Amino acid sequence: MKKRMNYVIILTMGIALNWALLSSSIAQTEPLGPLMSVTEFTIKPGHEMQFREGIKAWKACYLENKGDWTWRVWQRQQGEGSVFVLASDMANWAEMDKTDESGKKCQDLARTMINPHIEKATSHVTRFQLGISKGSPLTEDIIRVSFYDLNPINGHRLMEVVKEVEGIRKSAGLEPGGYWYQWQTAGPESPSLHHVMPYKDYAAMDIIQEGVWQTVEKNAGKAKRDELQAAFRSSLQNTWNYIYTLDKDISRPSK
């Protein structure tokens, strides 16, 4: 990430990020997946257009200065207020040590044209979970993101259940439908994991597909379905979800 996020957010917005690593209760049996830096912006009421125009100006400056950072900006479609999410991939933590001269040259635009329209910004780092996620890159413009806050006692069971369920689905000839991420940094109100389900368009959400638990029951029996479903539910303290659409004008998903 070459500290691009630092120049857009830390240097130009004065946001102090408290990135204390959590001690994970989830056993890591798969190779480590890449990291993703995620910043959620809550926009001041009535300032959405100005915020977008500010990012457009910053993007134009960054491209003019031959910056190589790539990112996606998603707009949340439900919930309170106007919320945008900036997401960018990092191969590893070492990318945080690098600097970005192109970002430095554009920081005044962020300070004057983006910052004044932001009410609040919250940043975190998540890690992609291999093995239980789709193997192909995300290319769709609409995603449904489900967030999971784990139960302090049984939370470790969630990934165990997901891995077993995906094993059953794989034996039935089905591949993972979405992408799992484990949060590496979090505040008191942050989830522990989230799952991204992609859609080509809104019409794709109307297509009725066989549910996960239906697949489990059909291929492993009702007793196994009840066992896994109960374990999944007992692992959760809270869960919620939103739909997001990709804002292409202020994104740069590839070079």
Side-chain angles (χ1 to χ4, degrees):
M1 190 173 65
K2 298 183 180 178
K3 281 191 178 177
R4 301 173 182 89
M5 187 73 70
N6 289 6
Y7 291 117
V8 178
I9 298 172
I10 299 178
L11 293 180
T12 67
M13 299 171 57
I15 297 173
L17 305 183
N18 181 17
W19 284 0
L21 275 173
L22 299 177
S23 56
S24 173
S25 62
I26 301 172
Q28 180 65 49
T29 57
E30 297 286 342
L32 288 177
L35 298 168
M36 177 177 287
S37 179
V38 180
T39 301
E40 182 178 278
F41 297 100
T42 302
I43 308 307
K44 293 178 181 178
H47 287 241
E48 182 179 314
M49 183 177 69
Q50 296 95 318
F51 172 77
R52 293 184 73 256
E53 290 303 315
I55 294 187
K56 285 181 185 179
W58 185 92
K59 176 182 175 181
C61 172
Y62 189 73
L63 296 182
E64 182 180 344
N65 283 280
K66 299 182 173 22
D68 62 358
W69 181 41
T70 58
W71 69 90
R72 285 182 170 88
V73 178
W74 302 88
Q75 183 173 13
R76 197 178 74 188
Q77 300 301 299
Q78 296 80 32
E80 182 179 358
S82 178
V83 174
F84 290 79
V85 175
L86 170 67
S88 61
D89 294 317
M90 300 190 299
N92 48 45
W93 287 103
E95 289 202 19
M96 296 294 295
D97 293 324
K98 300 175 183 178
T99 58
D100 182 359
E101 295 303 320
S102 299
K104 283 183 179 181
K105 294 174 183 177
C106 302
Q107 62 186 24
D108 284 343
L109 287 173
R111 183 180 296 111
T112 59
M113 297 185 67
I114 300 176
N115 298 0
H117 310 297
I118 297 173
E119 181 177 295
K120 182 178 70 171
T122 306
S123 297
H124 290 294
V125 175
T126 66
R127 186 182 292 281
F128 181 62
Q129 300 298 290
L130 299 169
I132 56 174
S133 300
K134 286 173 64 74
S136 57
L138 174 66
T139 58
E140 290 81 357
D141 295 342
I142 298 177
I143 56 175
R144 183 195 298 273
V145 183
S146 299
F147 300 92
Y148 300 97
D149 181 18
L150 300 184
N151 184 299
I153 298 175
N154 298 321
H156 64 282
R157 294 297 312 278
L158 188 138
M159 280 291 99
E160 295 174 1
V161 171
V162 171
K163 289 177 182 178
E164 188 166 356
V165 166
E166 287 302 335
I168 294 171
R169 283 170 47 81
K170 186 174 183 179
S171 67
L174 300 173
E175 294 300 319
Y179 308 87
W180 282 95
Y181 292 85
Q182 181 184 347
W183 286 49
Q184 304 296 292
T185 63
E189 298 180 357
S190 301
S192 305
L193 298 133
H194 76 265
H195 178 263
V196 176
M197 179 64 73
Y199 296 92
K200 181 181 67 173
D201 49 31
Y202 278 109
M205 294 186 178
D206 292 324
I207 300 173
I208 299 176
Q209 299 181 351
E210 182 176 83
V212 171
W213 299 118
Q214 289 177 291
T215 303
V216 171
E217 182 172 343
K218 186 167 69 175
N219 292 276
K222 185 177 185 303
K224 173 58 72 172
R225 167 191 168 146
D226 291 345
E227 173 194 335
L228 292 175
Q229 195 171 51
F232 184 85
R233 290 173 176 170
S234 69
S235 71
L236 296 175
Q237 184 164 265
N238 194 13
T239 181
W240 61 96
N241 67 81
Y242 292 113
I243 295 171
Y244 299 81
T245 58
L246 182 66
D247 194 324
K248 295 182 180 179
D249 288 342
I250 56 177
S251 297
R252 190 198 186 190
S254 60
K255 296 178 186 178

